[in-house]
Amino acid sequence: MHVSRLPPISAAAPPQWVVGAAWVEEVAAPEGPSRVRVDSVHFAPGARTVWHRHPLGQVLHVTQGAGLVQCRGGAVESIRVGDSVRIAPGEWHWHGAAPTTFMTHLAIQEVAGDGTEAERGATVTDTEYLAGPPIV
């Protein structure tokens, strides 16, 4: 067992993976036989990921604020504190903050046996992003 009490180190999300400003704090990295990765991702208002997919799927759990998520071919949906979103293996999707509020979520995924975590796709356009429901 390992207990960590150091403050998490936050880093800017790689610009090729996000539109706008986002920060990532590693909560758990794959170690030993485990292939589970957990990151806390903090999005500024209007920031979102690019379209992407994970070979073994992903779970998002919102811990602060409100945001939006969309799977390819589906509607843009609002997400709030306490919501969990399960994304199927290989499913193209994006997620991020609402236009006027910050959003933080835990991103939980298993890394594939070959080390693949995600495949990056196209940038989410403003038209795609703004097609979502209003956040009240």
Side-chain angles (χ1 to χ4, degrees):
M1 175 171 50
H2 174 75
V3 176
S4 177
R5 291 194 173 86
L6 297 173
I9 298 171
S10 182
Q16 67 269 29
W17 284 92
V18 296
V19 174
W23 302 267
V24 179
E25 293 177 4
E26 184 180 86
V27 175
E31 188 176 306
S34 173
R35 297 187 312 194
V36 175
R37 170 172 299 287
V38 181
D39 293 310
S40 179
V41 186
H42 187 67
F43 294 89
R48 68 267 190 185
T49 66
V50 298
W51 284 100
H52 63 286
R53 62 184 176 177
H54 301 272
L56 300 174
Q58 184 179 50
V59 173
L60 306 173
H61 181 75
V62 181
T63 59
Q64 184 178 37
L68 300 167
V69 63
Q70 181 182 24
C71 291
R72 178 105 22 182
V76 178
E77 297 186 45
S78 62
I79 51 178
R80 302 179 179 292
V81 173
D83 289 348
S84 292
V85 179
R86 185 173 302 273
I87 297 154
E91 187 167 38
W92 286 100
H93 67 286
W94 64 266
H95 40 94
T100 60
T101 185
F102 285 87
M103 191 266 295
T104 301
H105 66 49
L106 294 176
I108 306 154
Q109 62 265 343
E110 184 178 358
V111 177
D114 66 2
T116 302
E117 292 189 39
E119 178 183 353
R120 183 170 41 108
T123 298
V124 174
T125 66
D126 288 344
T127 301
E128 289 172 309
Y129 174 73
L130 295 172
I135 304 290
V136 180

